[in-house]
Amino acid sequence: MWKETRVSETLNITYPIIQGPFGSGLSSVSLLAAVSNAGGLGSFGAHHLDDVEIEKLIGDCRNHTQKSFAINLWVSDQDDNGLHLSREDFDNAYSVLEPYFLELGLEKPDYPEKFGQSFDKQIEGLLRALPPVFSFVYGIPDDEILKECRKRKIITIGTAITVDEAVSLDEAGVDLIVASGFEAGGHRIAFEKEAEKSLLGTLALIPQVVDNVKAPVIAAGGIADYRGIKAAFGLGADAVQIGTAFLACKESNAPALHKEILFSEEAKNTQLTRAFTGRLARGVENRIMQDLENNHSNFAPYPAQAWFSAFLKKAAIDQKRTDLMSLWAGQSAPLLKYNDATELFYSFVEEM
């Protein structure tokens, strides 16, 4: 049976289908619970939360599902000086985005106490709260953290976008490995080479990873219906991770404007950009992406660039300006049909 794999056995789930985690507030406990309760693995992208908030989140997840679920963090929490931007660099970074702040009627934000969260503190909260599964991107946690996860029976899932990254995860003893092709929406979570030099398609990436690691492989990138799931298993994967299709569902915390775009003709045109966070990510092409395409050298490092963009996004949502906000989406968006997570999940099961 297709549903009986090493991944479903390890995670103690009925179907080897994982909901991709969404960062920056796009995840929701409702979506996580819907997928987990249906027999898959729901996920929550928590890299924007501090340790106390992560503890509370895990408790909230437990109140909504008795099944397994994953909490996702970013191991690399900053680019060079991204958490400690100087006042001069702060002013320079703002100057790049100033026309859009003015267009949306926003004032220049005050210099903050911090631009983002610390992974070291976040992991403390996660280990205290003991989620069933800890998934992570942008690197490999220290060996001591992985040992603590094994000691506390927390299953670990690492993510790679190249074969070499997958091998590194395998050698570190990570339980399961997501191999994510460049078709996927959101961030290109490279950690060994520059993201632009680590762009492999799912069809090429999955079998190479399967051939080079011992851990079970989860295929991601460009999968939105049963055909993609069947293809992934044919390539040797033991499970699939699906992002954009779940992001479009009513249970996700994506703004209504974002979901409307995912079901529109505009979703056919996705591009990779560093404009919104300073890190390479795939979203539906819009005006601000086009305007800033050749201005990457003037962006603030992550997470400072994301901190600035958050002001623009909030105002753009309020003013219904999809031309000035991030619209994360994978290349499979034109295949979307469902806006209910449970209905979507069982469509996979029935069609398989």
Side-chain angles (χ1 to χ4, degrees):
M1 292 287 291
W2 70 274
K3 64 181 183 178
E4 297 171 353
T5 73
R6 291 188 295 165
V7 170
S8 55
E9 180 180 359
T10 299
L11 294 174
N12 191 28
I13 57 179
T14 305
Y15 305 104
I17 299 173
I18 297 169
Q19 170 238 320
F22 315 123
S24 303
L26 298 179
S27 290
S28 77
V29 174
S30 295
L31 177 59
L32 174 150
V35 175
S36 290
N37 288 336
L41 184 75
S43 305
F44 195 108
H47 76 270
H48 61 295
L49 303 177
D50 64 25
D51 59 321
V52 175
E53 291 169 328
I54 287 171
E55 281 191 90
K56 183 178 182 300
L57 165 67
I58 293 170
D60 196 16
C61 292
R62 285 203 171 93
N63 288 333
H64 284 77
T65 182
Q66 301 301 309
K67 303 293 184 66
S68 190
F69 61 86
I71 301 299
N72 183 271
L73 294 175
W74 292 17
V75 179
S76 170
D77 56 25
Q78 63 176 300
D79 295 333
D80 290 343
N81 298 316
L83 285 177
H84 307 284
L85 206 64
S86 70
R87 297 272 182 170
E88 180 181 357
D89 288 339
F90 178 87
D91 290 339
N92 290 337
Y94 170 73
S95 68
V96 176
L97 299 173
E98 183 177 28
Y100 309 107
F101 272 80
L102 296 176
E103 186 173 340
L104 291 168
L106 298 174
E107 296 182 355
K108 180 181 179 181
D110 294 330
Y111 187 86
E113 292 184 9
K114 63 178 182 178
F115 291 96
Q117 304 298 335
S118 163
F119 173 74
D120 290 339
K121 288 293 294 181
Q122 290 176 320
I123 201 68
E124 291 176 9
L126 183 138
L127 290 174
R128 288 194 299 266
L130 302 176
V133 181
F134 167 37
S135 68
F136 50 87
V137 296
Y138 279 119
I140 307 172
D142 292 341
D143 189 51
E144 284 302 312
I145 294 174
L146 294 177
K147 285 181 180 177
E148 281 298 315
C149 288
R150 286 189 284 271
K151 178 181 176 181
R152 300 170 193 231
K153 300 188 184 329
I154 299 173
I155 297 166
T156 53
I157 304 178
T159 307
I161 64 172
T162 68
V163 178
D164 289 343
E165 289 180 352
V167 170
S168 294
L169 288 165
D170 202 40
E171 291 175 344
V174 172
D175 293 315
L176 305 172
I177 297 172
V178 175
S180 178
F182 86 118
E183 299 95 329
H187 285 85
R188 297 289 73 225
I189 31 75
F191 63 89
E192 290 194 345
K193 292 182 180 179
E194 186 179 359
E196 283 86 350
K197 297 179 180 179
S198 304
L199 301 177
L200 280 78
T202 302
L203 193 65
L205 178 64
I206 303 306
Q208 292 184 66
V209 171
V210 169
D211 287 350
N212 283 278
V213 302
K214 296 178 182 178
V217 175
I218 301 161
I223 302 171
D225 62 19
Y226 79 98
R227 293 171 295 183
I229 299 174
K230 285 190 173 183
F233 287 132
L235 295 171
D238 278 293
V240 295
Q241 179 170 284
I242 297 173
T244 303
F246 283 116
L247 183 65
C249 291
K250 63 185 181 185
E251 293 89 348
S252 91
N253 204 34
L257 286 172
H258 190 163
K259 294 173 184 176
E260 290 171 12
I261 292 290
L262 291 176
F263 285 104
S264 75
E265 287 291 310
E266 294 179 61
K268 292 180 179 180
N269 301 312
T270 66
Q271 295 295 333
L272 294 166
T273 183
R274 289 182 178 267
F276 298 108
T277 68
R279 288 184 172 178
L280 195 67
R282 182 178 297 282
V284 177
E285 187 174 25
N286 61 5
R287 177 187 145 210
I288 193 168
M289 285 172 62
Q290 295 168 342
D291 288 353
L292 299 176
E293 182 178 1
N294 298 315
N295 212 0
H296 290 183
S297 62
N298 295 315
F299 294 161
Y302 178 85
Q305 182 75 9
W307 181 86
F308 279 111
S309 295
F311 290 94
L312 295 177
K313 182 173 182 177
K314 183 179 185 304
I317 292 170
D318 291 342
Q319 298 177 36
K320 302 187 183 304
R321 294 289 302 274
T322 57
D323 58 329
L324 296 178
M325 59 185 281
S326 57
L327 299 163
W328 305 134
Q331 291 182 331
S332 62
L335 298 173
L336 302 186
K337 297 179 181 178
Y338 299 92
N339 64 5
D340 179 276
T342 303
E343 186 178 0
L344 170 66
F345 189 93
Y346 285 122
S347 76
F348 299 144
V349 173
E350 291 168 7
E351 290 168 341
M352 287 296 291

